[in-house]
Amino acid sequence: MITFSHVDKTFNSKNQITEAVRDVSLTVKPNTIHGIIGQSGAGKSTLIRLINQLEIHDAGEINVLDYSDIRRLNKESMRMLRREIGMIFQHFNLLESKTVLENVLFPIEAHGEKSDENTQKAFDLINSVGLQGYEHTVPSKLSGGMKQRVGIARALINDPKILLCDEPTSALDVQTTGDILDLIKEIQSERNLTVVLVTHDMHVIKEVCDAVTVMHQGHVVEDGTLEEILFSARHPVTKTLTAAIGYNVEEIAKNHAHLPNKTLLRFPSHVTSDDILSKVIRRLDADINILFANITPSKEGVMLVSIDSTVPQDVKTALKENGVVIVHDQY
Amino acid sequence: METFYMTFASTALVMIFGLIIGALLYLSASDGLNPNRTLYGILSVIVSIGRSIPFLILIVLLIPVTRIIVGTILGPTAAIPALVVGGTPFYARIVEMALHEKGMFLKETGVAIGLSNRQIITKILIPESLPALVRGITVTAITLASFTSIAGAIGAGGLGDLAYLYGYARNRHTVTMIATVLVVGLVVLIQLVGDLIVKKLSPATD
């Protein structure tokens, strides 16, 4: 879908050379929400801008959809590729002199392809992002969250296969952030979109992403599924990020140094509604203390427990027999 | 009436040239759509020199050019080349600033939906910065109205001519006062019309 191989991007400005993206290789799987996280200056915004060539890389190869080595595309192919990629921005980037409807239609209208069919499509999109009744309002009358909804509708008018989100919620409050993320999740699954989302906020990643790439100083330092990043982070940058939202299991284990047999369990989605723990506790007369538990967006359960029993191995075996995965037990 | 003619004719020409040069300045700037250090450098120097020459000196310097273009160096039409050369750099800078302000965020939107640089300027940046562009042309027109008085005093006719030759030189203060009131009236009129257009254009007021 989207692949980067050994991509470099350097900015040269007055006596200052910034290596924004360094030797990045990366794959974004189709039909997923792929998060890119890092502190400011980590190169994440540059990385997402390379996908539709708002920035042009200096070295390496990027393939998007059926287009290979997009840096070498001619103008017409680039225009076609860009029509398959929608993008939303931190500051919404709406046209203040146009109404909501005109903004949503703009990507079509600017190419001189206005038609009744497209106007109807714009009305439907405005409906589906929850802005019915605001078609003829100008953006300055809308709240931040509503502006981003217009941005989303505009990004979808060409029926793109890819949606790029550059810090889509960084200018919004917590409640609105949640609403916008829900909307992104909803349209992703309805339209089988591939979403690439850049953020500095681990909460956002935790809410919507299936896969996560962690960037630091232009490098990809860690890359994996959301579960891997949340619960088996290896790189210190990732650990800082997960700790910030209370997900650093190692840290929690360290804070409970006196407890025996600390074990990280994973409950695959088909067993999360079973009463496994209480069954095992009753059968083996063990004490199992839960130190941390959470359910990820993909409906997997993750739990850090301390097993207080004379036969801890038997407890683990019993858990495994019930479909629980022992992720780690050497704390 | 000569003052009206000189002001409006030169404003119209300044608007056209200013938009073109301003757009070129924006395009070629280091963070513009198509950075070109040489073009930006040349334009920038010309614009800066143009803005720093006092208008009276500019008229004198342009006498040979005026003679070629207009065929005479007297009368209101002869003042127009100097007015245009004096006003264009001023407006070009305003255009550049207005486009730059809107361009910061909006240019990437244009590129992302596959627009060319030319389309980004004509379909996004100029419509979006229209209120600022109108405000700019209002200020420019007022500056040009005051320039016409200087031109008038050295042979272009109009209110400057009236105030200086018929008023000051012949010691008839009433004439000077009337000419002044008329110039002030013209400036107020330009400002009013400008404000009215800006109000019509601003989306926030409907």
Side-chain angles (χ1 to χ4, degrees):
Chain A
M1 181 49 101
I2 302 171
T3 55
F4 283 68
S5 80
H6 305 290
V7 172
D8 287 308
K9 170 68 187 173
T10 306
F11 291 104
N12 292 309
S13 63
K14 288 167 197 149
N15 316 320
Q16 206 190 342
I17 293 167
T18 319
E19 291 177 70
V21 170
R22 296 193 239 182
D23 193 27
V24 165
S25 296
L26 183 70
T27 301
V28 175
K29 292 200 188 86
N31 202 0
T32 56
I33 302 185
H34 190 114
I36 299 171
I37 187 164
Q39 287 131 350
S40 47
K44 53 191 192 306
S45 263
T46 308
L47 192 70
I48 198 173
R49 281 173 159 64
L50 291 172
I51 298 173
N52 59 355
Q53 295 281 286
L54 289 183
E55 303 290 353
I56 297 160
H57 48 296
D58 309 314
E61 199 177 301
I62 303 174
N63 306 313
V64 180
L65 299 167
D66 301 327
Y67 300 82
S68 49
D69 201 2
I70 58 172
R71 184 165 55 139
R72 313 225 178 274
L73 291 180
N74 62 31
K75 273 188 177 169
E76 186 52 30
S77 306
M78 180 55 71
R79 201 174 79 100
M80 279 159 60
L81 171 61
R82 283 178 175 145
R83 293 191 71 163
E84 303 207 44
I85 305 177
M87 188 168 193
I88 59 171
F89 305 88
Q90 176 175 4
H91 299 289
F92 324 123
N93 295 11
L94 301 180
L95 306 172
E96 299 287 330
S97 64
K98 293 183 161 48
T99 64
V100 168
L101 180 66
E102 287 166 339
N103 265 284
V104 173
L105 271 172
F106 187 71
I108 286 182
E109 207 188 39
H111 290 113
E113 297 160 23
K114 206 176 171 183
S115 71
D116 289 348
E117 197 185 319
N118 287 325
T119 310
Q120 187 52 48
K121 194 164 145 195
F123 270 106
D124 293 344
L125 274 170
I126 292 168
N127 239 335
S128 67
V129 297
L131 286 179
Q132 55 274 43
Y134 289 95
E135 289 84 359
H136 303 292
T137 311
V138 287
S140 57
K141 302 257 180 190
L142 303 178
S143 69
M146 290 160 103
K147 284 183 189 171
Q148 194 58 288
R149 286 169 190 270
V150 180
I152 292 171
R154 180 176 68 182
L156 297 176
I157 190 79
N158 275 322
D159 293 319
K161 298 194 175 72
I162 297 172
L163 178 65
L164 305 179
C165 309
D166 185 15
E167 300 270 8
T169 58
S170 302
L172 303 174
D173 62 55
V174 180
Q175 173 68 42
T176 317
T177 294
D179 295 344
I180 293 294
L181 292 177
D182 286 344
L183 180 62
I184 292 174
K185 235 197 298 197
E186 196 184 303
I187 57 167
Q188 188 278 326
S189 62
E190 270 173 18
R191 298 170 160 258
N192 294 330
L193 280 175
T194 303
V195 177
V196 181
L197 184 151
V198 160
T199 181
H200 62 271
D201 186 352
M202 202 64 195
H203 286 109
V204 171
I205 296 280
K206 185 196 78 180
E207 283 308 312
V208 290
C209 292
D210 306 303
V212 187
T213 298
V214 183
M215 286 195 76
H216 184 60
Q217 294 176 346
H219 294 285
V220 168
V221 294
E222 205 154 354
D223 186 37
T225 64
L226 178 63
E227 285 74 22
E228 284 165 355
I229 295 296
L230 282 181
F231 303 110
S232 338
R234 290 181 309 270
H235 195 275
V237 172
T238 318
K239 287 180 185 173
T240 314
L241 289 166
T242 53
I245 57 165
Y247 271 69
N248 193 333
V249 184
E250 240 172 65
E251 190 75 25
I252 298 167
K254 213 192 290 172
N255 291 340
H256 296 85
H258 58 286
L259 294 175
N261 296 312
K262 288 182 286 290
T263 307
L264 184 64
L265 307 175
R266 186 162 62 84
F267 294 74
S269 48
H270 60 279
V271 302
T272 43
S273 46
D274 300 350
D275 48 359
I276 300 166
L277 269 192
S278 51
K279 269 188 202 153
V280 172
I281 289 169
R282 257 180 281 150
R283 186 152 67 87
L284 293 170
D285 193 25
D287 280 335
I288 298 180
N289 291 305
I290 301 169
L291 305 178
F292 169 87
N294 210 297
I295 290 186
T296 65
S298 53
K299 305 278 184 285
E300 292 215 337
V302 173
M303 196 182 273
L304 179 67
V305 296
S306 160
I307 303 167
D308 197 354
S309 161
T310 46
V311 282
Q313 273 317 317
D314 293 359
V315 175
K316 287 179 198 173
T317 312
L319 288 168
K320 273 193 239 174
E321 280 164 4
N322 283 288
V324 178
V325 181
I326 310 285
V327 181
H328 189 68
D329 57 2
Q330 308 290 322
Y331 290 104
Chain B
M1 281 318 100
E2 287 158 330
T3 302
F4 266 94
Y5 165 67
M6 285 189 282
T7 307
F8 291 114
S10 59
T11 301
L13 288 169
V14 164
M15 195 161 77
I16 295 165
F17 291 125
L19 271 174
I20 294 168
I21 294 174
L24 285 174
L25 276 168
Y26 171 70
L27 263 175
S28 61
S30 59
D31 56 349
L33 287 164
N34 191 4
N36 182 332
R37 205 177 285 191
T38 321
L39 179 64
Y40 186 80
I42 294 170
L43 283 175
S44 194
V45 166
I46 294 174
V47 164
S48 298
I49 291 174
R51 287 185 61 184
S52 53
I53 299 175
F55 186 65
L56 189 59
I57 296 169
L58 193 68
I59 297 177
V60 178
L61 283 177
L62 283 176
I63 285 176
V65 182
T66 307
R67 207 191 297 274
I68 294 167
I69 300 175
V70 189
T72 170
I73 58 161
L74 287 171
T77 308
I80 286 175
L83 288 168
V84 171
V85 172
T88 299
F90 184 75
Y91 190 53
R93 281 290 183 210
I94 294 176
V95 172
E96 184 197 2
M97 278 193 296
L99 296 182
H100 189 263
E101 194 194 322
K102 287 290 172 186
M104 265 193 300
F105 292 121
L106 290 177
K107 70 175 181 199
E108 59 184 10
T109 313
V111 177
I113 62 174
L115 297 184
S116 66
N117 288 345
R118 186 204 184 93
Q119 287 173 314
I120 291 175
I121 290 189
T122 56
K123 294 192 187 249
I124 299 184
L125 297 182
I126 291 182
E128 284 294 301
S129 52
L130 215 50
L133 294 178
V134 173
R135 251 179 244 125
I137 201 68
T138 310
V139 174
T140 308
I142 290 169
T143 309
L144 288 172
S146 77
F147 280 175
T148 61
S149 314
I150 302 173
I154 60 164
L159 293 166
D161 187 35
L162 186 71
Y164 183 74
L165 279 183
Y166 294 87
Y168 177 74
R170 297 181 192 179
N171 224 0
R172 285 158 62 184
H173 293 298
T174 349
V175 177
T176 311
M177 287 309 288
I178 290 169
T180 310
V181 168
L182 286 172
V183 169
V184 170
L186 176 65
V187 168
V188 170
L189 186 74
I190 293 170
Q191 188 67 54
L192 277 177
V193 171
D195 287 349
L196 205 72
I197 297 174
V198 170
K199 210 174 168 188
K200 272 257 158 77
L201 288 172
S202 299
T205 51
D206 61 33

Short mmCIF file of all heavy atoms in Angstrom, two decimals, chain A residues 49 54 79 82 89 91 93 95-97 106-107 110-111 138 141 154, chain B residues 105-106 108-109 111-115 119 123-124 127-128 203-204 206:
data_model
loop_
_atom_site.label_atom_id
_atom_site.label_comp_id
_atom_site.label_asym_id
_atom_site.label_seq_id
_atom_site.Cartn_x
_atom_site.Cartn_y
_atom_site.Cartn_z
N ARG A 49 4.15 14.08 4.91
CA ARG A 49 4.10 14.95 3.73
C ARG A 49 4.83 14.35 2.54
O ARG A 49 4.65 14.80 1.41
CB ARG A 49 4.71 16.30 4.07
CG ARG A 49 3.77 17.17 4.83
CD ARG A 49 4.43 18.45 5.31
NE ARG A 49 3.43 19.46 5.60
CZ ARG A 49 2.53 19.34 6.56
NH1 ARG A 49 2.53 18.28 7.33
NH2 ARG A 49 1.64 20.28 6.76
N LEU A 54 4.14 16.56 -0.68
CA LEU A 54 4.18 17.97 -0.31
C LEU A 54 5.63 18.33 -0.04
O LEU A 54 6.04 19.48 -0.19
CB LEU A 54 3.34 18.24 0.94
CG LEU A 54 1.82 18.16 0.80
CD1 LEU A 54 1.15 18.51 2.11
CD2 LEU A 54 1.33 19.07 -0.30
N ARG A 79 -0.64 14.22 -10.21
CA ARG A 79 -1.97 14.79 -9.97
C ARG A 79 -2.98 13.66 -9.73
O ARG A 79 -3.82 13.74 -8.84
CB ARG A 79 -2.39 15.63 -11.19
CG ARG A 79 -3.47 16.64 -10.89
CD ARG A 79 -3.72 17.51 -12.11
NE ARG A 79 -4.54 16.81 -13.07
CZ ARG A 79 -5.85 17.02 -13.18
NH1 ARG A 79 -6.46 17.87 -12.41
NH2 ARG A 79 -6.55 16.36 -14.07
N ARG A 82 -2.40 12.22 -6.28
CA ARG A 82 -2.88 13.10 -5.21
C ARG A 82 -4.39 13.06 -5.07
O ARG A 82 -4.93 13.29 -4.00
CB ARG A 82 -2.39 14.53 -5.44
CG ARG A 82 -0.94 14.70 -5.06
CD ARG A 82 -0.45 16.10 -5.32
NE ARG A 82 0.93 16.25 -4.83
CZ ARG A 82 1.84 16.99 -5.43
NH1 ARG A 82 1.54 17.66 -6.52
NH2 ARG A 82 3.06 17.09 -4.94
N PHE A 89 -5.62 18.64 8.15
CA PHE A 89 -4.51 19.37 8.75
C PHE A 89 -4.82 19.81 10.18
O PHE A 89 -5.98 19.94 10.57
CB PHE A 89 -4.20 20.62 7.91
CG PHE A 89 -3.94 20.32 6.45
CD1 PHE A 89 -4.98 20.27 5.55
CD2 PHE A 89 -2.65 20.09 6.01
CE1 PHE A 89 -4.74 20.01 4.21
CE2 PHE A 89 -2.40 19.82 4.68
CZ PHE A 89 -3.44 19.78 3.77
N HIS A 91 -4.49 22.80 11.39
CA HIS A 91 -5.21 24.07 11.41
C HIS A 91 -6.36 24.09 10.40
O HIS A 91 -6.77 25.14 9.95
CB HIS A 91 -4.24 25.23 11.18
CG HIS A 91 -3.18 25.29 12.25
ND1 HIS A 91 -3.47 25.67 13.53
CD2 HIS A 91 -1.88 24.96 12.24
CE1 HIS A 91 -2.37 25.59 14.27
NE2 HIS A 91 -1.39 25.16 13.51
N ASN A 93 -7.15 24.37 7.58
CA ASN A 93 -6.88 24.91 6.24
C ASN A 93 -8.11 25.05 5.37
O ASN A 93 -8.11 24.67 4.21
CB ASN A 93 -5.84 24.05 5.51
CG ASN A 93 -4.49 24.09 6.20
OD1 ASN A 93 -4.38 24.59 7.32
ND2 ASN A 93 -3.48 23.56 5.56
N LEU A 95 -11.04 27.32 3.37
CA LEU A 95 -11.07 28.59 2.66
C LEU A 95 -12.13 29.46 3.32
O LEU A 95 -13.32 29.16 3.27
CB LEU A 95 -11.39 28.36 1.18
CG LEU A 95 -10.46 27.35 0.50
CD1 LEU A 95 -10.93 27.02 -0.90
CD2 LEU A 95 -9.03 27.88 0.46
N GLU A 96 -11.67 30.53 3.96
CA GLU A 96 -12.57 31.36 4.77
C GLU A 96 -13.59 32.12 3.93
O GLU A 96 -14.63 32.53 4.42
CB GLU A 96 -11.76 32.37 5.61
CG GLU A 96 -10.77 31.73 6.58
CD GLU A 96 -11.46 31.08 7.77
OE1 GLU A 96 -12.54 31.57 8.18
OE2 GLU A 96 -10.93 30.08 8.29
N SER A 97 -13.26 32.33 2.65
CA SER A 97 -14.17 33.11 1.82
C SER A 97 -15.26 32.24 1.20
O SER A 97 -16.11 32.72 0.47
CB SER A 97 -13.38 33.82 0.72
OG SER A 97 -12.79 32.87 -0.14
N PHE A 106 -14.52 22.08 -3.23
CA PHE A 106 -13.38 22.77 -3.83
C PHE A 106 -12.40 21.87 -4.60
O PHE A 106 -12.01 22.21 -5.72
CB PHE A 106 -12.63 23.59 -2.77
CG PHE A 106 -11.55 24.45 -3.35
CD1 PHE A 106 -11.87 25.57 -4.11
CD2 PHE A 106 -10.21 24.12 -3.18
CE1 PHE A 106 -10.88 26.34 -4.68
CE2 PHE A 106 -9.22 24.89 -3.75
CZ PHE A 106 -9.55 26.00 -4.49
N PRO A 107 -12.01 20.71 -4.03
CA PRO A 107 -11.05 19.88 -4.77
C PRO A 107 -11.55 19.46 -6.15
O PRO A 107 -10.76 19.18 -7.05
CB PRO A 107 -10.87 18.66 -3.87
CG PRO A 107 -11.23 19.13 -2.52
CD PRO A 107 -12.33 20.14 -2.72
N ALA A 110 -12.08 23.18 -8.32
CA ALA A 110 -10.84 23.83 -8.73
C ALA A 110 -10.31 23.23 -10.02
O ALA A 110 -9.57 23.86 -10.76
CB ALA A 110 -9.80 23.73 -7.63
N HIS A 111 -10.68 21.98 -10.28
CA HIS A 111 -10.27 21.37 -11.53
C HIS A 111 -11.35 21.52 -12.60
O HIS A 111 -11.31 20.84 -13.64
CB HIS A 111 -9.96 19.88 -11.32
CG HIS A 111 -8.71 19.67 -10.52
ND1 HIS A 111 -8.71 19.11 -9.26
CD2 HIS A 111 -7.43 19.97 -10.79
CE1 HIS A 111 -7.48 19.06 -8.81
NE2 HIS A 111 -6.67 19.58 -9.71
N VAL A 138 -20.30 29.99 6.69
CA VAL A 138 -18.88 30.19 6.41
C VAL A 138 -18.07 29.65 7.60
O VAL A 138 -18.55 29.64 8.73
CB VAL A 138 -18.52 31.67 6.15
CG1 VAL A 138 -19.03 32.09 4.79
CG2 VAL A 138 -19.06 32.57 7.24
N LYS A 141 -17.78 30.90 11.32
CA LYS A 141 -18.89 30.74 12.27
C LYS A 141 -18.86 29.38 12.97
O LYS A 141 -19.74 29.09 13.77
CB LYS A 141 -20.23 30.88 11.54
CG LYS A 141 -20.40 32.19 10.82
CD LYS A 141 -21.33 33.10 11.59
CE LYS A 141 -21.47 34.40 10.84
NZ LYS A 141 -22.14 35.42 11.59
N ARG A 154 -14.14 17.40 3.00
CA ARG A 154 -13.41 17.86 1.81
C ARG A 154 -12.39 16.81 1.37
O ARG A 154 -12.21 16.56 0.18
CB ARG A 154 -12.70 19.19 2.11
CG ARG A 154 -11.91 19.72 0.93
CD ARG A 154 -11.31 21.08 1.21
NE ARG A 154 -10.27 21.01 2.22
CZ ARG A 154 -9.61 22.07 2.68
NH1 ARG A 154 -9.89 23.27 2.22
NH2 ARG A 154 -8.67 21.94 3.59
N PHE B 105 -0.57 28.37 5.37
CA PHE B 105 -1.26 27.10 5.56
C PHE B 105 -1.92 26.59 4.29
O PHE B 105 -2.00 25.40 4.06
CB PHE B 105 -2.32 27.23 6.66
CG PHE B 105 -1.72 27.43 8.02
CD1 PHE B 105 -2.02 28.55 8.77
CD2 PHE B 105 -0.84 26.49 8.54
CE1 PHE B 105 -1.47 28.74 10.02
CE2 PHE B 105 -0.28 26.66 9.79
CZ PHE B 105 -0.58 27.79 10.53
N LEU B 106 -2.40 27.53 3.46
CA LEU B 106 -3.27 27.11 2.36
C LEU B 106 -2.52 26.56 1.15
O LEU B 106 -3.07 25.83 0.37
CB LEU B 106 -4.18 28.26 1.94
CG LEU B 106 -5.25 28.61 2.96
CD1 LEU B 106 -6.06 29.81 2.51
CD2 LEU B 106 -6.18 27.43 3.20
N GLU B 108 -0.22 24.29 1.01
CA GLU B 108 -0.12 22.84 1.05
C GLU B 108 -1.46 22.18 0.72
O GLU B 108 -1.50 21.12 0.12
CB GLU B 108 0.41 22.36 2.40
CG GLU B 108 -0.45 22.79 3.57
CD GLU B 108 0.16 22.40 4.91
OE1 GLU B 108 1.31 21.96 4.94
OE2 GLU B 108 -0.55 22.53 5.92
N THR B 109 -2.54 22.86 1.09
CA THR B 109 -3.87 22.34 0.75
C THR B 109 -4.01 22.28 -0.77
O THR B 109 -4.49 21.30 -1.31
CB THR B 109 -4.97 23.27 1.30
OG1 THR B 109 -4.64 23.57 2.66
CG2 THR B 109 -6.32 22.62 1.23
N VAL B 111 -1.58 22.16 -3.06
CA VAL B 111 -0.70 21.13 -3.63
C VAL B 111 -1.31 19.75 -3.39
O VAL B 111 -1.33 18.90 -4.28
CB VAL B 111 0.71 21.21 -3.00
CG1 VAL B 111 1.59 20.09 -3.56
CG2 VAL B 111 1.35 22.56 -3.28
N ALA B 112 -1.86 19.55 -2.19
CA ALA B 112 -2.39 18.22 -1.84
C ALA B 112 -3.57 17.82 -2.73
O ALA B 112 -3.78 16.64 -2.96
CB ALA B 112 -2.82 18.20 -0.37
N ILE B 113 -4.35 18.81 -3.22
CA ILE B 113 -5.44 18.41 -4.11
C ILE B 113 -5.04 18.51 -5.58
O ILE B 113 -5.87 18.44 -6.46
CB ILE B 113 -6.75 19.19 -3.84
CG1 ILE B 113 -6.56 20.69 -4.09
CG2 ILE B 113 -7.24 18.96 -2.43
CD1 ILE B 113 -7.84 21.47 -3.99
N GLY B 114 -3.74 18.65 -5.81
CA GLY B 114 -3.24 18.53 -7.17
C GLY B 114 -3.33 19.79 -8.01
O GLY B 114 -3.40 19.72 -9.23
N LEU B 115 -3.34 20.97 -7.38
CA LEU B 115 -3.38 22.21 -8.15
C LEU B 115 -1.97 22.65 -8.55
O LEU B 115 -1.00 22.37 -7.85
CB LEU B 115 -4.03 23.32 -7.32
CG LEU B 115 -5.49 23.15 -6.92
CD1 LEU B 115 -5.99 24.39 -6.21
CD2 LEU B 115 -6.36 22.87 -8.14
N GLN B 119 -2.76 27.86 -10.34
CA GLN B 119 -4.11 27.65 -9.79
C GLN B 119 -4.16 27.98 -8.31
O GLN B 119 -5.16 28.50 -7.82
CB GLN B 119 -4.54 26.19 -10.01
CG GLN B 119 -4.89 25.88 -11.45
CD GLN B 119 -5.14 24.40 -11.64
OE1 GLN B 119 -4.37 23.57 -11.17
NE2 GLN B 119 -6.21 24.06 -12.33
N LYS B 123 -6.87 30.53 -7.67
CA LYS B 123 -8.10 29.94 -7.13
C LYS B 123 -8.15 29.93 -5.61
O LYS B 123 -9.21 29.81 -5.02
CB LYS B 123 -8.27 28.51 -7.65
CG LYS B 123 -8.51 28.50 -9.13
CD LYS B 123 -8.97 27.14 -9.62
CE LYS B 123 -9.04 27.13 -11.12
NZ LYS B 123 -10.36 27.06 -11.66
N ILE B 124 -6.99 29.99 -4.96
CA ILE B 124 -7.01 29.97 -3.49
C ILE B 124 -6.53 31.30 -2.92
O ILE B 124 -7.26 31.98 -2.21
CB ILE B 124 -6.14 28.83 -2.92
CG1 ILE B 124 -6.67 27.47 -3.39
CG2 ILE B 124 -6.15 28.88 -1.39
CD1 ILE B 124 -5.94 26.29 -2.81
N PRO B 127 -8.45 34.84 -4.07
CA PRO B 127 -9.79 34.96 -3.47
C PRO B 127 -9.75 35.06 -1.94
O PRO B 127 -10.51 35.83 -1.36
CB PRO B 127 -10.48 33.66 -3.89
CG PRO B 127 -9.74 33.18 -5.07
CD PRO B 127 -8.34 33.66 -4.93
N GLU B 128 -8.86 34.29 -1.31
CA GLU B 128 -8.83 34.31 0.15
C GLU B 128 -8.29 35.62 0.71
O GLU B 128 -8.65 36.04 1.80
CB GLU B 128 -7.96 33.13 0.66
CG GLU B 128 -8.64 31.80 0.57
CD GLU B 128 -9.84 31.69 1.49
OE1 GLU B 128 -9.65 31.84 2.71
OE2 GLU B 128 -10.96 31.48 1.02
N PRO B 203 -16.27 37.42 4.84
CA PRO B 203 -17.28 36.40 5.09
C PRO B 203 -17.88 36.47 6.49
O PRO B 203 -18.99 36.06 6.71
CB PRO B 203 -16.51 35.10 4.90
CG PRO B 203 -15.08 35.46 5.09
CD PRO B 203 -14.95 36.87 4.65
N ALA B 204 -17.12 37.08 7.43
CA ALA B 204 -17.56 37.04 8.83
C ALA B 204 -18.76 37.93 9.10
O ALA B 204 -19.39 37.81 10.12
CB ALA B 204 -16.41 37.44 9.73
N ASP B 206 -21.62 38.28 7.27
CA ASP B 206 -22.97 38.00 6.74
C ASP B 206 -23.83 37.20 7.71
O ASP B 206 -23.40 36.90 8.82
CB ASP B 206 -22.89 37.30 5.38
CG ASP B 206 -22.17 35.97 5.44
OD1 ASP B 206 -22.27 35.30 6.47
OD2 ASP B 206 -21.50 35.62 4.47
#
